[in-house]
Amino acid sequence: MLNLLIDKLIGSRDFSKKRNRDNLIKISGYLSLAINIVLFLMKISIGLLASSIAIISDAINNLTDSLSSVVTILGAKFAAKPADHDHPYGHGRSEYIASMFIGMFVLLVGFELLINSVKNVINPKDINTSIFTIIILIISIGLKFYMYLFNNKVYKLSDSLLNKSVAKDSINDVLATSIVLISSLLTPLLKINLDGIVGLLISLIIIKSGIEIFAEIGNVLLGKKVDDKIIEEIEDLILSKKYVRGVHKIDIHEYGKGRMFGSCHMEVPANIDVYSMHGIVDEVENEIREKLGIDMNIHVDPSYLLEKDKFKKIEDESVLDDIDK
């Protein structure tokens, strides 16, 4: 289904382009919103009819997921906004802030369900399980597992932490609803009211998911180190250029996916003319931007002399003139 949506609504599978990536994230948000609203309405209905705190808790969890889907859509829209006077590096970090709001929603619901579940354990209520309840729960598990697969694939295509958070939340929902289903089947057989205990387990699963989302997003917002592979690629590219002897102080900052800026110090001959060196720096900066998608600002450090026995290798006459002086 994802490929069909991509072909119909986006028309391209090149997600290195920011516009395609943002549209893909918004599509996943709209689909998740629709499924979560349907699940909430089904579960809250059977939860109230069965007087089950576990099913009602699971329904409220889906309502929270609906709010998370809205945040996903809004986050993708804000992240797509171009740079302006007040935000010269763009609005890409809106995606991370949106993910943090998702984590906050998840935690709030988890703690609320924890309180209600403890109350239900202390004062259990009779529940009424029907075949209709079982069918709804099974459908819910299937839809949530599909959402996990869908968002996980979107995450792999777009490298979006928003979709990674939603995928993680969806697989937790599969586990939570599976526990509710098992509880609904065992309670009448064992003659033991497991409803409050199951609600307690679900709340702990939800709280754990919220903490994990907060930890990952917080790490990014605090300035998580970029992948060492990116640093190595920058070094290899710079050191492949003529006259360059070394590179150090590579600093890379991320302002959302596809919005990376950096600086470094490049070691060059002390006796090379400014005009020639400026051309080399421009070439390096353009190549890093095209190949790695990083806007680099390169500072030149004079660190050695260009030897006369290498004159024959130099095609730029301005370099020779500068050395002769």
Side-chain angles (χ1 to χ4, degrees), residues 6-223:
I6 291 172
D7 293 338
K8 292 291 185 181
L9 301 178
I10 300 177
S12 171
R13 300 190 184 185
D14 182 7
F15 298 110
S16 61
K17 294 182 178 179
K18 192 173 186 303
R19 182 179 179 182
N20 292 342
R21 179 180 179 274
D22 292 337
N23 286 334
L24 178 63
I25 295 172
K26 282 188 281 188
I27 288 172
S28 70
Y30 285 120
L31 181 64
S32 297
L33 177 61
I35 292 176
N36 280 315
I37 289 175
V38 170
L39 289 176
F40 166 72
L41 293 174
M42 289 193 303
K43 287 182 185 177
I44 197 67
S45 299
I46 62 172
L48 292 172
L49 289 173
S51 300
S52 170
I53 185 64
I55 296 177
I56 292 173
S57 298
D58 206 21
I60 294 174
N61 185 31
N62 288 135
L63 178 61
T64 305
D65 292 341
S66 299
L67 296 175
S68 298
S69 298
V70 173
V71 172
T72 299
I73 296 166
L74 293 177
K77 285 187 175 181
F78 278 114
K81 290 177 63 178
D84 55 34
H85 181 267
D86 294 325
H87 306 89
Y89 298 106
H91 298 76
R93 285 184 175 174
S94 298
E95 185 179 321
Y96 303 147
I97 296 172
S99 296
M100 184 164 284
F101 273 110
I102 291 175
M104 183 178 68
F105 285 145
V106 171
L107 280 176
L108 287 174
V109 170
F111 282 114
E112 181 65 23
L113 295 181
L114 179 64
I115 294 170
N116 291 332
S117 296
V118 170
K119 290 179 180 178
N120 193 266
V121 171
I122 297 172
N123 298 303
K125 298 178 181 178
D126 293 333
I127 60 173
N128 303 307
T129 303
S130 66
I131 187 64
F132 181 67
T133 301
I134 302 303
I135 292 172
I136 293 297
L137 292 175
I138 291 174
I139 293 173
S140 175
I141 291 170
L143 287 174
K144 273 296 181 178
F145 188 69
Y146 171 75
M147 282 183 61
Y148 161 73
L149 295 175
F150 184 92
N151 281 283
N152 194 52
K153 187 171 182 180
V154 171
Y155 161 64
K156 290 179 179 179
L157 290 173
S158 64
D159 194 26
S160 166
L161 289 180
L162 268 173
N163 290 95
K164 184 179 181 181
S165 299
V166 174
K168 183 181 293 185
D169 190 41
S170 295
I171 201 66
N172 285 335
D173 289 346
V174 169
L175 177 59
T177 307
S178 297
I179 294 173
V180 174
L181 176 61
I182 293 170
S183 168
S184 299
L185 292 171
L186 291 180
T187 294
L189 294 175
L190 300 177
K191 306 298 182 182
I192 299 174
N193 193 329
L194 301 173
D195 195 52
I197 297 173
V198 170
L200 193 62
L201 289 174
I202 292 173
S203 66
L204 293 175
I205 292 171
I206 294 171
I207 290 171
K208 177 178 178 292
S209 176
I211 292 173
E212 289 174 349
I213 292 171
F214 253 109
E216 182 169 12
I217 300 303
N219 197 20
V220 173
L221 290 176
L222 286 172

